[in-house]
Structure formats: C-alpha cells, structure tokens
C-alpha cells in the first residue's frame, strides 16, 4: 500500500461519500474509487460496504482508520522535520477549523501568512468543534481553530480575539418589533440552531446557564449543520437564532435579518495544538502572527446574556 492510498482511504472514511472526499482531495471521483479498490485488493479485505448509493465502513474499515491516520501523521511529522531544516522556505501546514472561523475569520489571517511565507503550503479542513479537537488530538491537523471551550488534556490551548454572538430573527418576526427583551423571553421563541457539538451552540448554551436558564427549555424548531443553512431558515421565518456577528453581518446589512435587543459578551476563539507532538516552525510562525494573551477569555465566553444598556439622556 502507498501513502496516497492511505490518504484517500482516510478522506473517504471521514466523509463516507466518494464525491465529497474527491472534492476535498482535488481528485476525480473515479480516481478516488480506483485508489480505494486497489487498497482493498492489496490487503484482501473489504473496507467499505456499498449500500445502494451510500457507503459504510466495514468492521475491518473501522479498525483500519486509526492505524492509517497514525501512519499519515508520522509521515507528515517526518516531512515537517525535513522542511524545518530549510527554514520557512518550504513545508506544509495542515489546519482544521470550525465553520464560523474558517468561513469568516481565518481567511485574512492565512492571506497575511501566505504573503510572509509564500512557499509554505496551507491546507484547511472544516469541521465542528468536536471534529477539530479530534483531528488535532490524532495528528491529522497541526493546529485547530475552535469557538467552543475544549477540555482535552493532550492539547494546549491559546485564546485569540474572536467575535460576538447576536440574537437575530427575520425582519417580519413579531419579536423584531420589540424594543426590550429579557433572557427569559427567548423561551417564547422558536429557535433554529446549529447541531450539538458546534462551538456557537455551546457558547450560547453556556451563556444561558450563566444567566440561570436551562437550554433544554428552548423551543428548537430546526437543527441545521451549517451557518448558512441556519441564516437562510431564519430569514425565511423559521425562528430566531443566536449566531456570530460575522455570519449575521450580510443579512443585517440587507435587512433580511433583524438584531433583537439582547447582548452577548465578546468571545475568544481558541487555537489548539497537541502538547506532545513536534511543533513546526511554520506552526510557530502562524501562532506568532495571531497570538494574544488569553487572560479573561474563559470568563468572557461564560458571561451571562444581558439587555443592552440605554443611553443616558442629556
């Protein structure tokens, strides 16, 4: 078997979809299928069930995933050591980021990094906080970027400036005309939320708990797997949501969304790296570009929801 076959196998095992895996690998679907078939033929074991148009991992496939990931991580580490011998004139940096960060925050940072170090190849995979944490822990990513709190003893965490959550609804929502809201009023609204495991949802629910409210009491009409799907459903009148101001900005500007009068604390994003794995010069250079003191980050993220303060009249 080859490293390329292992790379393709892991991509398909994560996506459980040949086309999506091919897109992520920048390969054709036929090339991905051929690589998987060659790997299965070389080891004489079926790694995937073909169930209609779906694929599922076999028992052998499940057992092989961590072994393949470990081999790829070791190969990447060896490549990183050699790249470091040539300074920052060559190398590769594998990153994984949650949706809000990848789509709205990370791009300008990576653009600055590329201008400084144009010969460092950058790859970015998008997942939710749980998936990003696992990728860094298993060595599939050199650095991970998440919105939610992460308690993982194997990972070191650095806080960086992030965003602010906002409560939004469609402009036609009956709540959009309200001048004041209390945190308890949110339990009267239908909500459209990201899936469990997303950083945005975790921070929102932590803020409710900090206000003495139980997130289980929310009327969740829809759970959707992307920020864009959430915003689209909210704009169509499916309910309110709490989402990053970076995500809501376009809808607020065009008037399809209306920000409701409850404020949330500014929150930090977190950069994750494995505490025991080799930390490449490229990773150190990216961290130097974005690092800021983490003091107060946890307290800010867990601060309660509040009503906006009214301005004093003169």
């Amino acid at each position: 078997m080859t490293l390329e076959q292992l790379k393709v196998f892991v991509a398909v095992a994560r996506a459980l979809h040949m086309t999506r895996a091919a897109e992520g690998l920048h390969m054709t679907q036929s090339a991905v299928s051929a690589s998987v078939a060659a790997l299965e033929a070389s080891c004489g074991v079926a790694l995937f069930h073909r169930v209609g148009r779906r694929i599922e991992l076999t028992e052998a496939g499940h057992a092989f995933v961590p072994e393949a990931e470990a081999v790829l991580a070791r190969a990447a580490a060896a490549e990183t050591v050699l790249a470091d011998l040539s300074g920052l004139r060559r190398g590769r940096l594998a990153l994984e980021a949650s949706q809000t960060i990848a789509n709205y925050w990370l791009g300008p940072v990576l653009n600055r990094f590329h201008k400084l170090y144009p010969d460092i190849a950058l790859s970015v995979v998008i997942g939710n906080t749980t998936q990003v944490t696992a990728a860094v822990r298993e060595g599939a990513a050199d650095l991970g970027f998440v919105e939610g709190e992460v308690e993982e003893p194997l990972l070191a965490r650095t806080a960086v400036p992030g965003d602010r959550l906002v409560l939004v609804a469609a402009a036609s929502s009956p709540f959009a005309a309200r001048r004041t809201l209390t945190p308890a009023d949110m339990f009267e609204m239908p909500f459209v939320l990201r899936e469990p495991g997303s950083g945005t949802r975790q921070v929102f629910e932590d803020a409710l708990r900090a206000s003495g409210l139980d997130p289980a009491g929310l009327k969740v009409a829809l759970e959707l797997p992307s920020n864009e799907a959430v915003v689209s459903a909210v704009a169509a009148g499916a309910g309110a949501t709490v989402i990053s101001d970076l995500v809501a900005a376009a809808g607020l500007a065009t008037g399809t969304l209306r920000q409701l009068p409850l404020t949330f604390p500014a929150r930090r994003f977190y950069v994750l790296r494995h505490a025991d794995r080799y930390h490449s010069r490229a990773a150190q250079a990216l961290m130097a570009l974005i690092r800021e003191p983490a003091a107060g980050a946890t307290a800010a993220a867990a601060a309660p929801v509040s009503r906006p303060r009214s301005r004093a009249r003169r």
Side-chain angles (χ1 to χ4, degrees), residues 41-63:
S42 70
C43 61
V45 175
L47 299 171
F48 295 97
H49 294 297
R50 278 73 173 178
V51 184
R53 302 183 70 175
R54 297 183 296 110
I55 59 172
E56 300 172 357
L57 283 165
T58 64
E59 184 178 353
H62 277 293

Side-chain angles (χ1 to χ4, degrees), residues 66-247:
E67 301 300 329
E69 289 178 333
V71 171
L72 291 173
R74 289 298 302 162
E79 184 180 9
T80 296
V81 171
L82 292 176
D84 276 0
L85 295 176
S86 63
L88 290 169
R89 293 187 297 275
R90 62 182 293 269
R92 177 179 175 273
L93 197 52
L95 310 173
E96 188 148 341
S98 57
Q99 284 191 26
T100 300
I101 294 176
N103 292 330
Y104 298 93
W105 181 87
L106 190 57
V109 174
L110 297 186
N111 181 51
R112 289 166 55 206
F113 183 85
H114 178 69
K115 288 180 178 179
L116 291 171
Y117 310 106
D119 297 321
I120 302 297
L122 298 169
S123 67
V124 181
V125 174
I126 300 176
N128 63 29
T129 294
T130 301
Q131 293 165 334
V132 173
T133 301
V136 178
R137 184 181 61 241
E138 302 303 324
D142 300 305
L143 296 174
F145 298 82
V146 298
E147 304 144 50
E149 294 282 343
V150 171
E151 296 297 332
E152 172 55 70
L154 294 177
L155 303 184
R157 186 184 71 174
T158 302
V160 298
D163 62 358
R164 182 180 295 274
L165 295 183
V166 291
L167 174 63
V168 297
S172 59
S173 167
F175 292 95
R178 299 266 293 264
R179 288 194 165 190
T180 61
L181 286 174
T182 69
D185 289 332
M186 287 188 288
F187 291 82
E188 300 176 17
M189 312 174 189
F191 263 86
V192 181
L193 296 178
R194 285 285 308 280
E195 78 285 1
S198 81
T200 296
R201 182 164 180 170
Q202 177 189 323
V203 173
F204 171 41
E205 292 181 348
D206 287 346
L208 288 177
R209 294 186 187 97
S211 296
L213 301 170
D214 184 0
L218 291 172
K219 300 175 182 177
V220 181
L222 292 172
E223 288 182 349
L224 298 172
S226 74
N227 293 324
E228 290 69 28
V230 168
V231 168
S232 178
V234 170
T241 195
V242 171
I243 204 159
S244 168
D245 58 354
L246 302 175
V247 177

